Amino acid sequence: MQIECPSCGARGGFDESRLPPGGAFVRCPRCRHRILVEREGALAGPSAAPFLPGADQAACSLCRGISPRQEMFRSGEQWVCAPCKPDFVQMLRQGLPRPGARRFGGFWIRFAAKFLDGLIQSMATGVILLPLMFWVGFSAATKAEPDNLILITVVQFAVQLGIPILYTVFFLGKYQSTPGKMACGLTVIRSDGGRITYGRAFGRYFSEILSSLTLMIGYLMAAFDEEKRALHDRVADTRVVFR
């Protein structure tokens, strides 16, 4: 397929079979303008959604354009394309934070988020258990069958155990953040910056038991770790960062 640069008008061929389903960003060989090439041959501007780079490509941490790695400058875990290299170097000279740099959530902000989540879970548990409490009182007053009281006790235990699990796994798996963390501007990510799955969120919840069983030392580790990792973050390979 033939594509034309909307900036300088240069034309060139492109192998459409190499395109991923959503299209790909390429750079004009003349002016290095970033072009989104779709399978239908349509062009879009730099604001279009990016795609995942291939094994020999990387996304520029400044312009987010995709370029071959042999044409890029690498600084730590970041890649910078040739046109953006002067801007990147200037940012380093001025002491500005590197683009894409993570700001980890510290101990106290995470404590506040955990406190808010605890309040929300307690209210949800109370709303569900309140009718059960009335039923228990009514059953005791009318001398109901012991089997009914056992059933009520089992349901109460299941609710108290299930709500925190469902609450944590659902919000972390879907939104990468619980309501308490959302209120504090925090999100949970993988160590490589990727999203966590429902399975990892489930494992992370039970990893928190280890942080509690160690006399809360597992939580206190976040105050002294360089990446503010608690014990369950180390086990689940997660990080808590500001959005």
Side-chain angles (χ1 to χ4, degrees), residues 53-217:
D56 59 343
Q57 298 174 319
C60 175
S61 60
L62 287 181
C63 70
R64 307 310 302 170
I66 305 299
S67 300
R69 293 192 178 187
Q70 63 267 24
E71 300 178 4
M72 303 180 72
F73 164 74
R74 184 175 183 177
S75 176
E77 297 181 356
Q78 296 178 318
W79 292 86
V80 182
C81 66
C84 292
K85 180 178 178 181
D87 294 334
F88 183 82
V89 173
Q90 184 64 25
M91 292 176 66
L92 296 182
R93 290 176 178 174
Q94 294 177 356
L96 299 177
R98 296 187 179 188
R102 301 172 185 171
R103 182 185 171 202
F104 299 100
F107 173 80
W108 289 111
I109 190 69
R110 293 181 61 174
F111 176 83
K114 191 70 175 177
F115 179 77
L116 292 175
D117 284 329
L119 288 180
I120 296 173
Q121 293 176 34
S122 297
M123 289 188 291
T125 303
V127 169
I128 296 176
L129 291 183
L130 188 60
L132 285 177
M133 294 299 100
F134 281 114
W135 180 254
V136 169
F138 176 78
S139 299
T142 57
K143 298 181 181 180
E145 295 293 331
D147 290 344
N148 292 336
L149 297 178
I150 293 176
L151 177 60
I152 291 173
T153 302
V154 171
V155 171
Q156 179 180 354
F157 176 78
V159 170
Q160 291 176 329
L161 178 65
I163 284 184
I165 297 176
L166 293 176
Y167 175 94
T168 302
V169 174
F170 171 76
F171 282 106
L172 286 184
K174 185 173 180 61
Y175 301 106
Q176 308 296 288
S177 183
T178 59
K181 286 183 171 62
M182 293 179 190
C184 295
L186 300 174
T187 187
V188 182
I189 60 174
R190 292 282 306 277
S191 60
D192 59 2
R195 292 175 58 89
I196 64 173
T197 62
Y198 286 100
R200 187 170 296 274
F202 184 80
R204 187 178 187 273
Y205 174 83
F206 283 97
S207 297
E208 284 200 50
I209 298 177
L210 297 176
S211 296
S212 301
L213 292 179
T214 55
L215 302 177
M216 302 299 177
I217 295 177

